[in-house]
Amino acid sequence: MERVGDSPDGGDQADRRERGRHRRPLLVPRDEDQERDDHDTTPDAEQRTEETREESDEDEPHDRILRSVDDVLTRLRSKPEKAAVLLDVDGTLAPIVARPELAAVPEETRAEVERLAARYALVACVSGRTGEEAARLVGVGGVVYVGVHGLELAPEAERWRETLRPFASEQWPWVEDKGLTVAFHWREAEDEEGARRSLEAVADRARVAGLEARWGRKVLELRPPVTADKGTAVQALLSERRLSRALYAGDDTTDLDAFRGLDGLELAVRVAVASSEGPPALREAANLVVASPAELLDLLRAL
């Protein structure tokens, strides 16, 4: 049976997806994270255990859930000098707002990140913003900032800047030029469905130009077609420091790459900051699910 951190982190993705349907919204470990070692591996015993767990899930006391979560995190916080805390920014540390320039990290969250940076071997923010902008927004020293979904660590992405430039000049009310990517937002559009349909034409032209088009939380992002993402950034950060234990928290499609970047670690904790706009796959792939940046703050306080 898979338990968080007890074996190299591969996991049965089909099983993970099935269990994800039963996950509660607040600080809830995957069902398999709540299991205890059991040497009775006969199919009948497993089936009875699974049926009992599903029947009792809805009635499980809240304090028991929180104790289970604490068990999942105990190993991570037991040796902070060997562990990393890796965090997305927008939608994770900073609540989602109408426009990126309005985003703010709450002071209490900033203080908690500062505490973690003094305690753990590595605290890093892996953001869709540029590293410079993420550092300004979070504003905590001792944190490593990696921007543009990890593209800042990929020298081969540089040659695509000129290909991206015409798209940065598109007549769109909410264009965000990040240098190595261009993002088109439609959160403030009166007709959101119509706005997305209009951007599908932009995505098609970007693909013809050789770029990748990725859809996220009311955003279309155009990026270079290089092997670099939040997952490769996470792997590089951990490898450089020879760390084999890590927690990553994120809220959007690109954070799935970061989740995969934890594969193979001695201890990997994937935290989804869930929302109605977020991809269901993120929740399904997570070990723990929180319902908002405020609930993530509660989780960080436990580290």
Side-chain angles (χ1 to χ4, degrees):
M1 294 183 182
E2 179 188 345
R3 296 173 60 199
V4 172
D6 283 353
S7 62
D9 191 84
D12 185 335
Q13 294 299 322
D15 183 61
R16 182 178 288 172
R17 286 194 295 272
E18 175 62 26
R19 299 177 195 271
R21 298 191 185 99
H22 304 290
R23 189 174 291 110
R24 296 172 185 260
L26 172 60
L27 297 180
V28 184
R30 287 187 317 222
D31 287 342
E32 60 264 40
D33 297 337
Q34 299 179 37
E35 295 171 2
R36 295 291 181 254
D37 289 327
D38 187 347
H39 297 294
D40 181 1
T41 58
T42 64
D44 289 343
E46 289 182 353
Q47 183 175 356
R48 287 195 301 272
T49 300
E50 183 66 22
E51 289 173 352
T52 300
R53 182 183 304 113
E54 291 184 356
E55 290 171 0
S56 63
D57 180 70
E58 292 305 315
D59 298 323
E60 188 175 24
H62 190 67
D63 60 346
R64 181 178 174 186
I65 293 174
L66 294 179
R67 285 198 302 273
S68 297
V69 170
D70 195 59
D71 289 344
V72 171
L73 301 177
T74 294
R75 290 187 63 205
L76 184 76
R77 64 178 176 235
S78 66
K79 295 184 179 180
E81 72 281 2
K82 296 184 178 181
V85 177
L86 310 167
L87 305 162
D88 175 43
V89 178
D90 292 276
T92 301
L93 294 180
I96 289 292
V97 290
R99 297 191 303 277
E101 64 269 22
L102 300 178
V105 175
E107 284 299 327
E108 56 186 348
T109 301
R110 184 176 288 114
E112 197 59 31
V113 173
E114 186 174 15
R115 181 188 69 82
L116 294 173
R119 171 172 166 76
Y120 282 80
L122 170 67
V123 172
C125 290
V126 186
S127 176
R129 295 173 181 263
T130 65
E132 181 179 358
E133 179 64 13
R136 183 200 64 77
L137 178 59
V138 178
V140 176
V143 173
V144 175
Y145 296 93
V146 178
V148 201
H149 306 298
L151 284 170
E152 289 183 344
L153 299 183
E156 62 271 29
E158 286 293 328
R159 72 180 187 88
W160 291 92
R161 284 184 182 270
E162 291 306 311
T163 305
L164 285 159
R165 293 285 62 73
F167 293 97
S169 301
E170 287 279 336
Q171 295 302 307
W172 189 259
W174 310 285
V175 178
E176 188 179 9
D177 182 4
K178 305 177 188 179
L180 291 174
T181 67
V182 176
F184 298 85
H185 300 268
W186 70 85
R187 186 173 298 277
E188 292 187 291
E190 291 185 5
D191 179 3
E192 292 188 353
E193 289 301 317
R196 178 177 173 122
R197 286 194 299 271
S198 296
L199 288 174
E200 286 173 356
V202 176
D204 289 340
R205 286 191 282 110
R207 294 186 188 101
V208 170
L211 297 168
E212 291 182 357
R214 293 192 178 185
W215 301 91
R217 294 180 64 176
K218 299 187 181 182
V219 63
L220 166 66
E221 188 158 62
L222 309 182
R223 49 167 288 150
V226 302
T227 307
D229 54 34
K230 286 189 174 184
T232 60
V234 163
Q235 290 172 339
L237 290 169
L238 297 176
S239 176
E240 181 180 339
R241 293 159 180 81
R242 299 183 179 180
L243 300 176
S244 59
R245 298 181 175 203
L247 174 148
Y248 182 92
D251 74 302
D252 208 349
T253 304
T254 58
D255 297 305
L256 281 165
D257 297 324
F259 279 7
R260 287 188 285 270
L262 301 184
D263 288 350
L265 294 183
E266 171 194 344
L267 175 60
V269 184
R270 301 167 179 85
V271 181
V273 183
S275 74
S276 60
E277 298 175 358
L282 189 75
R283 187 183 180 98
E284 293 163 2
N287 303 110
L288 302 174
V289 179
V290 296
S292 66
E295 288 185 2
L296 176 67
L297 175 58
D298 290 336
L299 176 61
L300 296 181
R301 285 173 172 148
L303 297 179

